[in-house]
Each structure stands twice: as C-alpha cells, then as structure tokens.
Amino acid sequence: MTSPNSLETLTLDQVLKPNSLFQQSAPKFGHDFLKYYSFKAGFLNLNNGSFGALPKVVTEACTELTAWQEENTDYFFRIGFIPPLIGVREQLAKFVGASDVDEIVMVANTSTGMGVVLRNFLWKSGDIIIRCNTTYATVYKTIQYIHDTTPGVQISEFQLLFPTTRKAVLKGWQKHIDNVKLNAPKGSKIVAIVDSIVANPGASMPWKEMVKICKDAGIWAIVDGAHSVGQEPLDLKTSGADFFVSSAHKWLNAKRGCAFLWIPKKSRDIMLTTIPTSASYVSPGPDRPETNIVSQFQYNGTIDYTPYLSVDYAFKWREWVGGEAAIHKYCNGLAREGGKVLARVMDTNVMDPDGEFTLAMVNVVLPIAKDLSAVYDASIATALTNKLLAQNLFAVTFYHRELWWTRVSAQIWNDLSDFEILGNALVSICSEIVAEHKNANIPQNSKAQSFNSYLERPFKGAVAHDYNKGLGYPQPVTATTVVPVGYHTHLASIRP
Amino acid sequence: MSNTQSIAPVPIDQIVKATKIFSQRTLAPSFGHGFLPYFSFKQGYLNLNNGSYGALPKVVTEACNELMAWQEENTDFYYRIGFIPPLINVREQLAKLVGASDVDELVMVANASTGLGLVLRNFLWQSGDAIVRCNTTYATIYKTIQYIHDVTPGVQISEFQLIFPTTPQAILDRWTKHIHNVKRSSPQGKNIVAVIDSIVANPAAAMPWKEMVKICKDAGIWTIVDGAHSVGQEVLNLADCGADFFVSNCHKWLNSKRGAAFLWMPKESQKIMLTTIPTSASYVTPGPDRPETNIISQFQYNGTIDYTTYLSVHVALQWREWIGGEAAIHAYCNNLAREGGKILAQTMNTTVMDPNGEFTKAMVNVTLPFPSDFQAQYDPSIGTALSNKLLAQNKYAVTYYHNNIWWTRVSAQIWNELDDFKTLGNALITICGEIVTEHKNANVPQDCKADSFHLYLQQPIRGAVALDLNNGVGAPRPITTTKVTPVGYHTHLASIRP
C-alpha cells in the first residue's frame, strides 16, 4: 500500500539543504575566492562578462534541484515548480525595483527576452526600429530579420563610437531621435533598443537619460540590460523604460541560461504571446479584455527550470560574500585600477580614462600595428581568442573604430596582478599574430571595412577555423592554410 | 609564467566518467522493477507517465553533472570551441538513429513546442494561406496556429476532427476528404501547411502519419510532423517519410535530460527557414549575395543556453544500448502497454480505447469509471482533482477528456510491470468515487465548464478555477471543496499538460 503523499507546495528553503559554507565567514575578495568556483587549476578568468561563473555552492544547489525534479517529475511540473518560481520572481522584482511580481517573467537569456518583445510588436509599413552599431549581435540581427520580412519597416542606426563622453552620447542621441521623429510617417510606431551596458566595448551608458529622450518623443524604449543585474543597482519603476531584459547568469551568479524580462503594466498590451505560444494563449477579443501574458510565461514547452530556480541560491551566495554594495565597490574599483595596469604593461591606453562608462568592465587598446587594424579581419579575432585560451587565460577581444581592444571583467576572484599577467600575455600574443599574419594567406573576403559590415555577410567563404589540414582541431587562423567554413561557424569574434 | 593549455576539442567520452559502467560488461537487469534503482524516483512512487516528461536514468544524471563541471572549468573554451564538436557528434548520432540523409538536416532545440513553433513562424504568412490542424494537435502548437491566424489577416485555420475510438482506415478516408476540400477552397498560389502528429498526446495514438503525409504531398501541401513522442518509442526513417519537417523530443522516450529535442529539415525545406528564434548573430539578409539560407549555422549559437541537455543525448544513447537496445526496449514497452491496458480495464471494469492495438505503442488509453452523466461537459475541476489525487497517492498517469469521456493514458516503461496497472486501476476506482461524491457538494462555477476541452482552451483562463488555495494556507487542493478561488497569474494547467 503506498502511503499518502503530501501535495503541499514547498519553498526552495524546504527543498534545498542549507549550505554549511554559509556558517563560516567569507574570505576577502581576491584570489582567496578561487576555491569557491570551479575553474580549472591555473585558469585565469578575466571574462565574467560573457558567460558568468557558477559558484560551487550554487552548482550543488542545482544538483539538488535536478534530483527534486526527477523524484516525481509530474508533481514538479504540475505543482512543485510553481511557487518556487513565483518566489524567485518576487525576489527579483524586489531586487530590481519592479512595482509588482507580475511585471517580471523568466526567459532563457537576454537574446530570447529581447526577441520575444520585438516579435510581439505587430509591425507595419512605415514603422521604424532604432538600433546602434553596438547593439548586441542577436538583437541587431533580430531587427534585421524584422526589416527583411516586413515590407516598409525602416531601420535607423545610431552610431556609437568610443572613446566619447556621456554628454556627447546624449547630444548625439537627442539629435538622432529628433531626426527620426521628424521624418517618421504619420501613425507609425518607433521602437528604440537602448543598451544599459554595451557589450563591446564594455560601456555603462546614460541609458535612463536616453530612455527619457525616447519617451519624450513618444518612442518605445526596450532596454537591453543584459549586463546590468548584479553589476549595478536597478530601480526599474523609475526608469521610464517600456521593457527591460537582463541575464541573471552573467553578474548575478545564477545558472546559465537564466534571464528576466520586465514588462510594466503599461507595456503589457503589446505582449500577445510567448514564444513558443503557450497553451493558455487566448485570442484577443471582447471576451478577453487584457492579455494573459504572465500566465503564458509559466509554461510554454518543457524546459529545465533549474536555471531560473537557481537565482534563489545565487542571492544567498551574494549576501554571504558581502552583499551587493561591497561586490560592486570591489569590482568597479578593480576594473579601474586594473585597466591602468593593463595599459601600462601593454604600453597602450584605456578607452575610458575618466571612468564615465566603467563599472566592472574596462577596455584597453591592444598592441597591434595600425596597418593591421585598418580593416576588420576575422582571422585576427580568432587568433586572439585561440591564443589566449592556449595560455589558459581569457578576456574578450573585439574590433571597434579601427582598433583592436580587450574588454576585461573584474570579479571578486580577481586582483590587480591578474591584469599584469594578462598584459604580458597579450604583448606576446599580439606580436605573434603580427608576425604570423605576414605569412598567412588570408582571403580578402574574410575582411571587411568594419565589424558591422562583416556581420552583414554570408558566412560561407568566411574564414573561421583552420582545421589543421583536416586533422580536426582548430588552429589560430594565421597558419598559411585557411579553410572555408561550412556549417561549423565559429563566432568567437562576435560573442559577448 | 602562464601555462599552456590545449585547445583541441575533447570528445564527450573523454569528459564523462560515469559511463564506464557500460564498458565494464556489467549486465543490465531484466526489464521491470529491477530497473527502479537505476532511476531517481522517490521511494514508493509509481511512475506510469513516462510520456509527459520522460525520466533521467541516474547514469545520465551523473554524466550531466560532469558535463556541467566541464562547462564551468573554462567557460570561454566551452562556448567558443569546446561544445561544438560534441554537439555535431550528437547531431550525427541522431541523424543516423532517425534515418536522416545528412547531419546537416538535423539541429537541436529545447523541446518540440519550440521546434514546431520555429518552423511555423518562419513561413511568411499571407492572406489566403491556410493552416490545417486537428482538435488533438498539442496545445502549444494549436495555440501557435491560433496566434498566427489572429495576427495575420486572411490566414485560415482548417481543423480536422480526430475522434477516438476509430480505425486507421477511417482516419485516412476522412483525412483524404478533408485535404481535398482544403485544397479545393484554397486560392491559387497560396500556402497550405498541415501539422500532423506522428503520435497524438491525448489520446495516445500512433497515427498512420506517413500515409497522412503522402496525402498532403500529393495535394501540394506542406507537412510539419509533430513527432514529440516518436524518437525512442518507434523506429524512424526520416529520409523515406516524405515530410517537410519533423520534430521529436529526446527527453521523452530517449532518456536525455529535459529539454532536448531535434528538428529535422531536409534540404528542400531549409529554404523556408530564414531565422532561428532568437535570431542568430550569423543571420544574413536574403539576397543575391546569399543564395541559400544559413539556417544550420544559425542554430549553433543564438543566445547563451546550457548545452548539457543536448550533449546528454550521447550518453542516453549509450544507456539504451547497454540496457538492451532499441528493438528490445520497444518490444517490452509495447507489449506491456497492450497487456497492461487490458488489466487496467479489467480492474476498473471499463474499456480500452484501442483493443486491436492499431494505435498502441508504449502508451495505452482506458476509460475512467465515471457515470456517463457525470462526463457530459468538460469540467477542468475534475481534471485537476484527478491529477492531485493521483499525486497524493504517490502515483501518476495522465488523465484527460475526449469524446465526452474521461480517460487515463498510461505509459509503459522498462521499470514498469503488469502489476503496476492493477495498482493504478485500484487507485483510480477510489479516486473517481471520491470525485463523484465531492463534486456533488462542490460549488463549481458554470463559467469554468465548457462543452468540450477545446472550447475550454479558447476561453480566457482568468476566472477559471484551478486551485483552491485551502483558505489561503497555500497547499493546493482538488477543486471540489465548496470554496473556489479565481486564478490570477498562478495558472494551474494540470488538465492540459501532455
């Protein structure tokens, strides 16, 4: 006879064992924290920004969550996950200053959240979408796709070129918005994508002011806040934005892929459907006075909810290590100081010496000869990535305004010496690349005037990996043999 | 001084140690309860619902933990180089398993709803186009089609009624008629797209889908096959099937981690596929510059996700080999479903939907012991009550409403035995008796009932009854107590889950 089973809903505190680690005091920020992460021995991680890093205690919590999911999967998917997920949404709502839990839903990542918003607008001929040259590639291309498949939809691209100043950005943005508004057909809608923190370069923008400029002009403002949560304090209810998306797996220590989408009540009517469309979708009509988009987000295809639920434990971790303010202070301070050290070692310069755009990420020019930087060359990007990885360290490298840069993330496991190590590594890497590049036979069609015109091209024929004469593992693409790319497209140069 | 690190790709078998059990020539147990220790079910839990969410063998769980550790060791290596060859390898293995002509016909997606939704959303719908669905089309697809119709002026929906019990021949005769009618009323040059289930979810029914596909192809109609339940439950040979698209979940019957599914698109069909969702960084505008779509490249990366679910397919396939291989698994499960259905019907004194087994593979449908006047209308409170009461008894099988009857759909898996069906039957007798009694006294609002499950699906869920939150004390109860609470954002979808 089977014993009756409680259908009681559980909170995550009841599901997850408290971690004994939290009884101890946390170490100081710096290398002492390395043992709380799962990096391979000797790996120098200066790129938290792209993919985040999962603390061991959160990994353990995720293992328990998976076990819970497998114990009685029907209970989990029909009852069990719901209150904990609502609990996570409540925590996030409070954390980011949303007015209500029902303004926050979970999505897999920022690209997905931004994409579902953009795809919910009912685009018509005459509508205009404003993006920047620096808009993150998946969002940039979503806009491109909408333009390509909806006759008459215009793209208006604002050029954001660094170095610059916040004042100059706002001035330029105001002018741009004014022009778009002036030339927009009557009755058209205009939607602008504003990055709170640009990815490449890593730049914290005056986004609230940019949003205000949009709102004053009657323009929709969708904020790509991928890097924001956990890197800067947020108070979304006063932000003025229409939508805001941020990845919890970048700077908030949640499991990949986990992000939230903020949909204030004023914006809800735009949101007709999740993607994929939920079983609870109902056709608009007199019967259905308002969208039920928040219900739809609860279930719209079977996924692993563990990344979303991991946010709960991520918050506990962050409290334990010292709390938001302490984390931000350490990382921001280290980014600034570290950038200076890096520039000194490489004998180059920091993009943003006054720190107007700098939070926990800093950009420094790479020591690559000007003539080699004149045109965007994807092989250099791949070579940089591969050579860094081959030296057991990583920071993002990117091309902007005819210069190659590195973007370095400062995290609680980093200290100033890491920047020195990176600098020395980059000095030798860059000179290797310059030397090898002379002898390489890089096809002209893998080069482009700018990174963005490279993005417009078909990848067929573009150079990504040299498969080492077919022996199967990628070499930096500065060897003399280069191999065209088939389906295996290596996107190192346009990763975040 | 910094150390050097190989950036050579690493095959999964080098990363995962948990699978060494397979090469140790340890013998797998016989199918049946002897397999329970290899899964993670809670003690005493009787799982007769593999169909909805699958179940992850412990070995695959351990392998996933190792894959996660690998992801965290050097995340940049993983995302920029590391995951790529193993993912291609998984696609190659799946391509071989399902009879695709080439690895580049097969890409991974999170689940069938995502894959099917993506295909449907890539068509550039125009006024005059028509989409053919069935009343039994899975709810997320059913609603995707609804959405497309709602936002694209002039797109028609043509719904084919699939009512069980029936026979494959009867279905094909009516389908032929239906397709001819749709074709006849379709304006010249317009797209007609039909969504066909290889195995319907509710009721569980393995369809004559290849014949249905052929009827469509002969009429020049696109066919998108929702094969959610197929891979691992039946043999597939997609190169010969004639369909334009096919999607199946690996986490249902193939033992991979949730959510992993594949989307099969033969080369001709790839022309339709302009973009992933979200759109990939490698998307390129169609034009003379770009003679063909690069959709396969786009699938490689289009937003940061955990690839562990996709990579787990590699280990899942090894598991299935070790336990006996596809043919043995299918034989056991299909036979158990048939025999188990008979036992279940006998125990409850009701009937099996498909006594000849024409539609039966590893899932079987049996009527529930409710009086017929009790079932005249679709009442979601009964759906939720059934679900909750089963869970409260530490067991599960799906229950659903079809053709004015409440049914149970039972999955037969390698950890199940005939006894399980008897245990379920006895539990359902008690449960149904309780529900009939409680329902008499409950005050279930009229507006949560509907003439059919599908009319219910069309309604706003707001106001619909789902959970009685037990006077606010927070534990959901079957909605047959006298107090009912309207649903806010907390929508309990027990009655329309797969």
Side-chain angles (χ1 to χ4, degrees), chain A residues 5 47 69 74 77-78 102 141 148 255-256 281 283 298 302 304 390-392 487 489-490 495, chain B residues 2-3 5 49 71 76 79-80 104 111 143 150 257-258 283 285 300 306 392 489 491-492 497:
Chain A
N5 201 45
N47 184 28
Q69 190 181 134
D74 282 284
F77 278 99
R78 294 165 196 278
D102 274 349
K141 294 301 185 92
D148 294 343
K255 183 170 171 16
R256 257 161 252 123
Y281 168 84
S283 296
Q298 187 167 280
T302 299
D304 183 5
Q391 288 205 29
N392 220 1
Y487 56 75
T489 306
H490 188 68
R495 289 273 165 81
Chain B
S2 54
N3 39 76
Q5 175 66 36
N49 184 27
Q71 187 182 130
D76 282 286
Y79 278 99
R80 295 166 195 278
D104 274 349
N111 49 57
K143 295 299 186 90
D150 294 342
K257 189 171 175 11
R258 249 161 259 125
Y283 167 83
T285 300
Q300 187 166 281
D306 183 2
Y489 54 74
T491 305
H492 189 69
R497 288 273 166 80

Side-chain angles (χ1 to χ4, degrees), chain A residues 2-5 7-9 38-40 42-43 47 50-54 59 62-63 66 69-75 77-79 81-82 86 89-90 101-102 108-109 111-112 119-120 122 136-138 141-142 144-145 148-149 249 255-257 272-284 287-288 290 294-295 298-304 385-386 389-392 394 396 455-459 472-474 486-492 494-496, chain B residues 2-5 7-9 40-42 44-45 49 52-56 61 65 68 71-77 79-81 83-84 88 91-92 103-104 110-111 113-114 121-122 124 138-140 143-144 146-147 150-151 251 257-259 274-286 289-290 296-297 300-306 387-388 391-396 398 457-462 474-476 488-494 496-498:
Chain A
T2 53
S3 54
N5 201 45
L7 282 190
E8 262 172 39
T9 52
S38 302
F39 309 135
K40 199 166 185 175
F43 175 58
N47 184 28
S50 291
F51 308 110
L54 200 60
T59 306
C62 289
T63 305
T66 299
Q69 190 181 134
E70 294 301 328
E71 260 186 14
N72 183 334
T73 307
D74 282 284
Y75 167 80
F77 278 99
R78 294 165 196 278
I79 294 175
F81 84 92
I82 300 173
I86 293 170
R89 291 167 54 220
E90 282 167 340
V101 59
D102 274 349
N109 48 54
S111 304
T112 300
R119 288 181 152 87
N120 259 284
L122 298 173
Y136 183 64
T138 52
K141 294 301 185 92
T142 296
Q144 193 65 43
Y145 168 80
D148 294 343
T149 52
H249 59 246
K255 183 170 171 16
R256 257 161 252 123
L272 295 177
T273 183
T274 50
I275 297 175
T277 300
S278 171
S280 47
Y281 168 84
V282 179
S283 296
D287 231 8
R288 198 203 78 171
E290 51 185 70
V294 181
S295 294
Q298 187 167 280
Y299 179 81
N300 52 9
T302 299
I303 58 167
D304 183 5
T385 288
N386 289 359
L389 288 171
Q391 288 205 29
N392 220 1
F394 205 76
V396 164
L455 271 195
E456 310 277 64
R457 291 206 183 150
F459 271 78
Y473 67 87
Y487 56 75
H488 187 150
T489 306
H490 188 68
L491 302 176
I494 50 186
R495 289 273 165 81
Chain B
S2 54
N3 39 76
T4 52
Q5 175 66 36
I7 57 170
S40 302
F41 310 136
K42 201 170 184 172
Y45 176 59
N49 184 27
S52 291
Y53 308 110
L56 198 61
T61 307
N65 289 342
M68 252 179 66
Q71 187 182 130
E72 294 300 327
E73 261 186 14
N74 184 335
T75 307
D76 282 286
F77 169 78
Y79 278 99
R80 295 166 195 278
I81 294 175
F83 85 93
I84 300 172
I88 293 171
R91 291 167 55 219
E92 282 167 340
V103 60
D104 274 349
N111 49 57
S113 304
T114 301
R121 286 181 153 88
N122 260 284
L124 297 173
Y138 183 65
T140 51
K143 295 299 186 90
T144 298
Q146 192 66 43
Y147 168 78
D150 294 342
V151 301
H251 59 248
K257 189 171 175 11
R258 249 161 259 125
L274 296 177
T275 183
T276 49
I277 295 177
T279 301
S280 171
S282 48
Y283 167 83
V284 180
T285 300
D289 232 6
R290 196 204 78 168
I296 300 296
S297 296
Q300 187 166 281
Y301 178 81
N302 52 6
T304 298
I305 58 168
D306 183 2
S387 195
N388 289 359
L391 287 171
Q393 286 210 25
N394 222 2
K395 353 179 133 48
Y396 208 79
V398 164
L457 271 195
Q458 311 284 43
Q459 287 179 190
I461 304 274
R462 194 184 151 91
Y489 54 74
H490 186 150
T491 305
H492 189 69
L493 302 174
I496 50 184
R497 288 273 166 80

Side-chain angles (χ1 to χ4, degrees), chain B residues 132 175-184 215-216 219 221:
Chain B
V132 180
W175 180 253
T176 304
K177 261 208 189 90
H178 188 95
I179 293 300
H180 285 173
N181 281 339
V182 174
K183 185 72 187 181
R184 219 183 359 249
I215 289 164
C216 291
I221 289 176

